[in-house]
Amino acid sequence: MKSAFLFLMLMTNVMVFAQTNTVQLIPQPVDVQVLNGEYTLAAGASVTFSKPEAQPVARMLVQKINQATGFKYSDKQGQAGSIQLNLNASPDTKLGKEGYTLVSSSKGIVIAANEPAGLFYGVQTLFQLLPKEIESKVPVKANWTVPAVKITDFPRFAWRGLMLDVSRNFFTKEEVKQYMDEMVRFKFNTLHLHLTDDNGWRIEIKSLPRLTEVGAWRVPRYGTFGERKAPMPGEKATVGGFYTQDDIRELLAYAQTLFITIVPEIDVPGHSMAAIAAYPELCCTKDTSVKVNPGSNFAQWFGDGKFKMFIDNALNPSDEKVYEFLDKVFTELAALFPSPYIHVGGDECYRGYWENDAGCQALMKELNTTESIKLHGYFMNRVEKILNAKGKKLLGWDEILEGGISPGATVMSWRGIEGGIEAAHLGHDVVMTPTTYTYIDYTQGDPTVDPPIYSHLRLKKCYSFNPVPEGVDAKYILGGQGNLWTEQVVTLRHAEYMTWPRSWALAEDFWTPDEKKNWENFVLRVENQFGRSDVAGVNYSRAMYDAIVRATMQEGKIWVEMESEVPGVDIYYTIDGGMPGIYSPKYTEAFEMPEGPITLRVITFRNGARIGNLITLRPNDLKARAQGE
Ligand code: ACM
């Protein structure tokens, strides 16, 4: 009797373990209760929606089920389907606009929400509760079960964004749609498109045709960005592209079906070389030889945020014609985009040409100032007036604080969290997107494995991000955003690789209550999601499995220290020129590299199977790393 009871207890535990293991959601919901039993999708079952506004979500659910299972689900209005999408008759206030409840049992599945967006996110959760084969684009066999659960879920933040830089590298509208498809699986709701920069102007402005005739095209160059050859005189600009206004309308309509807001960015007054190549009269030097930059070096970076531009890439703040230009641009933008915000950049503006310009000097006199940063403030305030007149709010990078900006402006804190803290204290709304946690253009594994870029950001660091810094009133923090700059990202596949899994971490930072986050548990869910991404055909990085290799110099000798950011990983290495395997030395503690021309090779394994990339550090690499280079 006693042993039978024990056996039952054991079995129950095993079952509970097995069941909770099948509920692996990203982002982690606010509350998940795993119940006994499961629901099995069956051919010919129906999806009902309680009100017509919910039909598009029902259609999307049916389409995905039918595509992967080969079943013939249909959708109809009502509340009797085996899967029900119900809009609450009276709002459940804790769910807000985007929250939902999901209850599954052997009888069926009920998703309820106050608004269609909530149903949409409930459906995204349902997809993650189904086997990974639900991501298949052709009918496949699978055990189409959904564990019995009761989920209550709503987002921590209203702004859950990713930024895609389509200027440095142009992505087609089909690619942007695909990127949005991938975002919503993890409940991102904002796509910030960085539409203009030194390297390309990507949106048709009908009243200023040269912006895309000239500004959207650059000479063909490959290799490390910033080290490429400058355009030659007379050389044809053949690389680039832009979105017509019809393309933008198509993207916006698509985004709407995914409950995504597209926020456009026109980056001014700096980062404007593409616009200046088209209209040289917009800058102080009026240099007609300026071309759209192909990734050649035109700046010197002194560290500490200081820099000098060898080519004038800033609009002239003292020229009324510049504001007429901007009025045209923002008139067309405001008419196209429903977003309440237009991002106007404001970052990294070099003021050297302003300081030498008679018009700017006269304006400074008029403003009764000797500081050229005040010209930046003047410019931004003029831009804000233009936007406000068109019913839009100004959003800018944190530099907009420096010249003085009205409290109505919203600030994206990118140079760490400090700008965001300062902005919130001044009463600005803030989107937190600091380099330290959210710059997904940075390398994520060993810097010798990925294309080089100037900094580094691992998955675990992304996951540790809390967008509300201590001492800041949370009401000012709209949310957070990951930024994918694309200087070194020239295909959508590589964009995916840079985005995932780091943006799974960010999705959880922006959706899940901070106290519900747990790194070890997240790693399990990431591994599960890798399998789902494989079925979906979405690329991702496995850099979390790679060893973290540190080198230090101690009394003239190089010491090597290694670790893994995920549990259960063994690090094997060689210093004899061989390829690391499970019979090579296993790393246990820091060691001194022997003198001589010796290469360190490192590979990680789990349960005896290779799991990580080969990291190869030649003597010079190790020396540079030990010297902090
Ligand atoms: C930025 O990364 N320059 C906003």
Side-chain angles (χ1 to χ4, degrees):
M1 179 69 196
K2 207 168 167 193
S3 68
F5 178 71
L6 248 174
F7 177 74
L8 204 72
M9 282 286 292
L10 220 76
M11 281 309 291
T12 315
N13 274 340
V14 168
M15 277 170 59
V16 167
F17 181 70
Q19 279 179 358
T20 47
N21 240 5
T22 62
V23 179
Q24 296 197 315
L25 305 170
I26 298 177
Q28 181 66 30
V30 171
D31 185 57
V32 180
Q33 291 175 44
V34 180
L35 310 170
N36 282 323
E38 61 192 21
Y39 172 72
T40 305
L41 297 190
S46 66
V47 172
T48 53
F49 52 92
S50 64
K51 290 188 193 153
E53 306 94 274
Q55 183 169 30
V57 179
R59 282 264 152 91
M60 183 269 300
L61 169 61
V62 163
Q63 192 271 337
K64 188 148 168 160
I65 290 177
N66 290 351
Q67 172 176 277
T69 62
F71 296 159
K72 296 212 161 27
Y73 271 61
S74 59
D75 61 271
K76 58 174 190 264
Q77 191 165 348
Q79 271 183 281
S82 37
I83 304 179
Q84 298 176 20
L85 304 183
N86 297 337
L87 284 169
N88 294 325
S90 56
D92 179 343
T93 50
K94 77 175 171 306
L95 298 181
K97 286 183 195 313
E98 298 185 305
Y100 65 93
T101 54
L102 185 156
V103 180
S104 55
S105 70
S106 58
K107 294 194 188 69
I109 297 163
V110 179
I111 300 174
N114 299 332
E115 307 219 1
L119 294 178
F120 180 77
Y121 294 125
V123 165
Q124 299 306 323
T125 295
L126 173 57
F127 291 146
Q128 290 191 22
L129 290 169
L130 278 158
K132 65 182 182 201
E133 287 80 9
I134 191 67
E135 297 299 341
S136 175
K137 292 185 184 68
V138 292
V140 285
K141 290 246 169 310
N143 184 20
W144 298 113
T145 57
V146 176
V149 289
K150 188 167 187 292
I151 295 176
T152 302
D153 199 16
F154 46 88
R156 180 174 175 205
F157 296 106
W159 189 297
R160 304 180 304 280
L162 289 178
M163 187 211 74
L164 183 62
D165 170 6
V166 294
S167 172
R168 270 49 175 272
N169 183 68
F170 179 63
F171 293 89
T172 64
K173 68 181 174 193
E174 284 74 24
E175 289 174 324
V176 175
K177 285 183 189 172
Q178 199 173 322
Y179 199 70
M180 288 195 279
D181 285 339
E182 294 168 20
M183 287 170 63
V184 294
R185 292 191 170 122
F186 310 99
K187 304 184 173 75
F188 283 100
N189 67 357
T190 303
L191 175 66
H192 165 178
L193 284 180
H194 184 73
L195 287 165
T196 73
D197 211 299
D198 301 313
N199 318 94
W201 182 285
R202 305 297 180 205
I203 180 167
E204 177 190 28
I205 302 296
K206 288 184 189 289
S207 58
L208 295 160
R210 284 177 62 81
L211 282 175
T212 42
E213 285 167 11
V214 174
W217 307 96
R218 63 169 177 80
V219 297
R221 292 289 186 278
Y222 304 93
T224 303
F225 201 90
E227 295 176 10
R228 301 176 190 167
K229 207 165 74 169
M232 311 281 281
E235 190 180 358
K236 278 211 159 54
T238 54
V239 173
F242 64 94
Y243 310 112
T244 64
Q245 295 200 354
D246 280 344
D247 290 338
I248 293 287
R249 277 187 276 270
E250 187 180 323
L251 280 175
L252 288 164
Y254 194 79
Q256 196 180 9
T257 67
L258 299 175
F259 299 89
I260 284 182
T261 300
I262 298 183
V263 177
E265 179 184 356
I266 301 293
D267 197 352
V268 288
H271 284 275
S272 290
M273 206 183 297
I276 288 168
Y279 297 102
E281 63 272 23
L282 296 173
C283 69
C284 288
T285 59
K286 307 197 186 329
D287 182 351
T288 53
S289 71
V290 170
K291 302 278 183 262
V292 179
N293 185 272
S296 62
N297 182 16
F298 64 90
Q300 195 174 358
W301 300 88
F302 303 112
D304 211 17
K306 299 208 167 45
F307 50 84
K308 176 184 173 130
M309 305 284 175
F310 309 130
I311 300 174
D312 189 359
N313 71 339
L315 305 184
N316 178 355
S318 71
D319 188 348
E320 282 306 309
K321 290 211 167 57
V322 166
Y323 301 105
E324 287 164 23
F325 163 86
L326 291 170
D327 195 278
K328 286 180 184 166
V329 170
F330 290 127
T331 297
E332 295 191 33
L333 230 72
L336 275 172
F337 288 88
S339 160
Y341 298 95
I342 292 183
H343 199 307
V344 295
D347 58 321
E348 297 174 321
C349 176
Y350 178 62
R351 302 191 301 275
Y353 297 99
W354 294 359
E355 285 159 5
N356 291 321
D357 179 79
C360 287
Q361 287 164 357
L363 178 57
M364 281 167 68
K365 228 184 221 145
E366 213 177 293
L367 298 173
N368 202 16
T369 183
T370 53
E371 297 169 293
S372 60
I373 187 66
K374 291 288 189 301
L375 292 176
H376 192 273
Y378 171 84
F379 176 91
M380 281 299 162
N381 281 291
R382 291 282 304 262
V383 170
E384 186 179 31
K385 284 202 179 70
I386 294 172
L387 294 183
N388 290 167
K390 300 175 198 318
K392 298 296 184 186
K393 292 197 259 193
L394 181 143
L395 170 62
W397 301 112
D398 56 46
E399 284 94 333
I400 64 172
L401 292 168
E402 291 173 10
I405 188 81
S406 85
T410 301
V411 175
M412 267 193 182
S413 183
W414 74 277
R415 296 176 299 179
I417 57 171
E418 289 71 23
I421 294 173
E422 184 193 341
H425 286 152
L426 291 169
H428 295 276
D429 282 344
V430 173
V431 177
M432 280 293 190
T433 180
T435 53
T436 31
Y437 298 97
T438 75
Y439 264 43
I440 55 174
D441 59 322
Y442 291 179
T443 52
Q444 52 199 314
D446 194 274
T448 59
V449 173
D450 289 328
I453 195 96
Y454 31 81
S455 197
H456 193 68
L457 178 62
R458 294 197 75 97
L459 178 63
K460 191 172 184 180
K461 183 83 178 179
C462 290
Y463 193 72
S464 70
F465 183 39
N466 181 350
V468 181
E470 225 161 275
V472 165
D473 187 339
K475 79 173 186 203
Y476 292 113
I477 308 296
L478 301 182
Q481 182 173 288
N483 289 340
L484 183 56
W485 303 100
T486 58
E487 286 97 333
Q488 294 294 143
V489 180
V490 298
T491 63
L492 182 68
R493 287 320 204 171
H494 194 59
E496 291 173 342
Y497 173 91
M498 299 303 279
T499 304
W500 319 115
R502 285 184 293 187
S503 297
W504 299 340
L506 297 178
E508 192 144 314
D509 296 336
F510 304 155
W511 181 282
T512 305
D514 204 43
E515 65 277 11
K516 295 257 167 174
K517 286 168 56 189
N518 176 295
W519 168 248
E520 281 76 19
N521 181 269
F522 177 69
V523 169
L524 293 177
R525 289 180 285 125
V526 166
E527 298 201 84
N528 174 270
Q529 187 59 47
F530 283 167
R532 307 182 80 84
S533 297
D534 288 339
V535 180
V538 177
N539 199 12
Y540 55 85
S541 165
R542 296 163 58 88
M544 71 173 192
Y545 292 126
D546 292 349
I548 302 170
V549 185
R550 291 196 191 88
T552 50
M553 196 65 87
Q554 290 176 30
E555 293 165 0
K557 311 269 195 229
I558 293 175
W559 279 73
V560 173
E561 205 181 332
M562 298 194 266
E563 63 171 313
S564 159
E565 69 181 340
V566 303
V569 167
D570 299 318
I571 304 172
Y572 291 89
Y573 67 95
T574 62
I575 51 172
D576 61 4
M579 193 59 71
I582 52 170
Y583 303 117
S584 306
K586 182 172 168 178
Y587 177 81
T588 51
E589 59 181 22
F591 61 89
E592 182 190 319
M593 277 298 282
E595 302 260 358
I598 294 169
T599 294
L600 172 69
R601 288 198 171 87
V602 184
I603 299 181
T604 48
F605 288 74
R606 187 154 70 187
N607 302 327
R610 178 175 168 170
I611 198 166
N613 285 300
L614 166 68
I615 296 171
T616 304
L617 293 166
R618 296 180 201 288
N620 280 345
D621 301 325
L622 271 174
K623 199 163 157 204
R625 196 166 288 196
Q627 288 166 343
E629 290 165 13

